[in-house]
Each structure stands twice: as C-alpha cells, then as structure tokens.
Amino acid sequence: MKNSRRLRAASIWAALIGISLPLSASADVVVQKSITYFQIGGRTPADLDAELSRKGPFTQASGNRHPGATQIRFGGDLTYTRRGDRCAIEDVRVTVATKLILPRWKNRNRATQDMATLWDALSSDIKRHEERHAEIARQHAKLLEQRLLKLRPTRDCETLQDRVSETTDEVTVAHDEAQMRFDRVEAKNFEDRMARILRHRLETREDR
C-alpha cells in the first residue's frame, strides 16, 4: 500500500518571496531558475542610490527595499511504501525555484566612462550576491533530499510523516540561518569589495 504526501513548501525571504514550481519525474533535486529586471533612471551616483532605494524589491523580512532580491521556494513530494510490517520512504523529489530580481539602468549607454564603470561594478556585484543566495537554496534542497532518503522505516506511516516534517523544518531553519549569515558577511565587506571591483575595472580599462 502506498501513500503520497506533498512536502510543506517553505517560502523564505532573506530577500525572498514564493513562487510555484511544477514537479518533475526525476528523482534528483529539480531546479528552476529565472531572472527578471526592474528599470531605474538617474545620471549620478546619488541618483542611482535614490532610484535603487525607491524602486528596488521590497522584502518583508527587513521591511525595506533592496538593490536586488532572490525569490526562493522549496517544494516537492515523496512516496511511502510498506516493507513487511514497516512504513518506508520509496521515493523523494525535492524542488527549488529561484527567481533573481535585478536592476537595469536605462541610461547606461549614454553614461560617462566613469559612471559606466561604477554601474558595471555595482550591477555585477548585485548579481553575484543574488546568485549566491540561489546557490545556498540549491545546496539546502539537495541536503533535504539526502536527509529524507536516509530516514529509517517506522512502525507506521504517521510516525514517518512526523519525521519527514521534522527533517524539513530543520533543513528550512538551517537554510534561513545560512542566508542570514551570508547577508551579514556581505554587508560588512561591501565597501572593500566594491573598491576591489572598481580598481580591477579601472586597471582593465587602462590596459586597453
């Protein structure tokens, strides 16, 4: 006798909101990734900062707008089966959908060389930051799959379902903590990181 149960979808904002994702027949983690852009104007560094603060995606966790965001949603399903007098997990499919929300500066092609260099450095750092959020989510989706597959058979499926829920909650909490740690480190290192990126781009420009 088999019993299927959809895993509780976990919607996480560390700059995160939820979107839906269809399931796949594959037993591996199913990953779906997309990118959308919001347009900003302005001609000076102060203009860009104001535009990002005014038009950037709003996150419920911080209560603020940000230069970029990553929407993440975990989901999936699993199948239970009887093995003798015990209930076991037969198959697990974990899904993770990531959607990057990034800025696009409409005046980039008309900008001065210095402003173009500044924007390229800033926008590339924003994209790298959000890509890392997506990668952290993918890593934890794989961790969830591995941990669920390792759950031992139990006397009844209700007990196993409880263990599935506990495991899902534990991995979700670990994911949230990993995302927050990443944001804290990034916030501390922002100025040094931007200085390195700008220096590299200026050196590259001078070599041409």
Side-chain angles (χ1 to χ4, degrees):
M1 181 179 72
K2 296 182 180 179
N3 179 31
S4 64
R5 175 174 177 264
R6 185 174 297 275
L7 296 178
R8 182 177 61 84
S11 176
I12 309 108
W13 263 104
L16 318 171
I17 55 181
I19 56 178
S20 62
L21 176 68
L23 299 177
S24 165
S26 171
D28 294 331
V29 170
V30 181
V31 178
Q32 181 176 357
K33 176 184 173 183
S34 62
I35 301 176
T36 62
Y37 296 89
F38 63 96
Q39 194 171 75
I40 64 170
R43 297 186 181 279
T44 68
D47 291 341
L48 295 180
D49 185 59
E51 284 281 280
L52 289 171
S53 297
R54 185 168 68 90
K55 295 182 178 179
F58 178 83
T59 70
Q60 295 177 338
S62 68
N64 296 312
R65 291 187 177 274
H66 297 266
T70 302
Q71 298 179 347
I72 296 172
R73 193 173 187 88
F74 295 115
D77 66 359
L78 57 78
T79 304
Y80 299 98
T81 188
R82 278 286 175 187
R83 293 179 184 169
D85 61 350
R86 303 185 74 78
C87 181
I89 292 175
E90 183 177 58
D91 186 37
V92 174
R93 289 175 293 178
V94 176
T95 66
V96 58
T98 61
K99 180 180 179 182
L100 277 60
I101 305 174
L102 304 172
R104 177 174 284 160
W105 185 29
K106 65 182 180 181
N107 295 324
R108 167 63 178 80
N109 293 335
R110 298 190 298 273
T112 64
Q113 195 171 44
D114 286 344
M115 277 300 300
T117 298
L118 175 64
W119 172 254
D120 290 347
L122 178 61
S123 61
S124 67
D125 191 64
I126 293 171
K127 185 174 187 294
R128 178 204 56 79
H129 178 93
E130 301 308 330
E131 290 277 12
R132 180 55 184 156
H133 275 304
E135 178 59 26
I136 290 171
R138 289 191 289 270
Q139 291 172 352
H140 283 79
K142 184 63 177 178
L143 175 63
L144 177 58
E145 178 197 58
Q146 293 170 346
R147 290 194 55 183
L148 291 174
L149 287 171
K150 289 181 180 178
L151 290 177
R152 298 174 65 86
T154 57
R155 187 172 302 174
D156 55 73
C157 288
E158 288 73 17
T159 300
L160 189 54
Q161 287 175 3
D162 290 340
R163 292 183 182 177
V164 166
S165 295
E166 290 171 3
T167 300
T168 302
D169 289 343
E170 288 171 2
V171 175
T172 299
V173 169
H175 170 267
D176 292 347
E177 292 174 348
Q179 297 284 16
M180 289 186 288
R181 281 196 304 272
F182 172 65
D183 275 335
R184 286 195 297 268
V185 171
E186 289 279 288
K188 288 181 181 179
N189 297 333
F190 175 75
E191 291 185 4
D192 289 342
R193 190 169 64 251
M194 284 300 299
R196 288 196 302 271
I197 295 172
L198 282 170
R199 184 164 56 249
H200 173 72
R201 287 181 179 272
L202 288 171
E203 290 171 353
T204 302
R205 192 175 77 185
E206 290 171 358
D207 290 340
R208 290 175 181 172

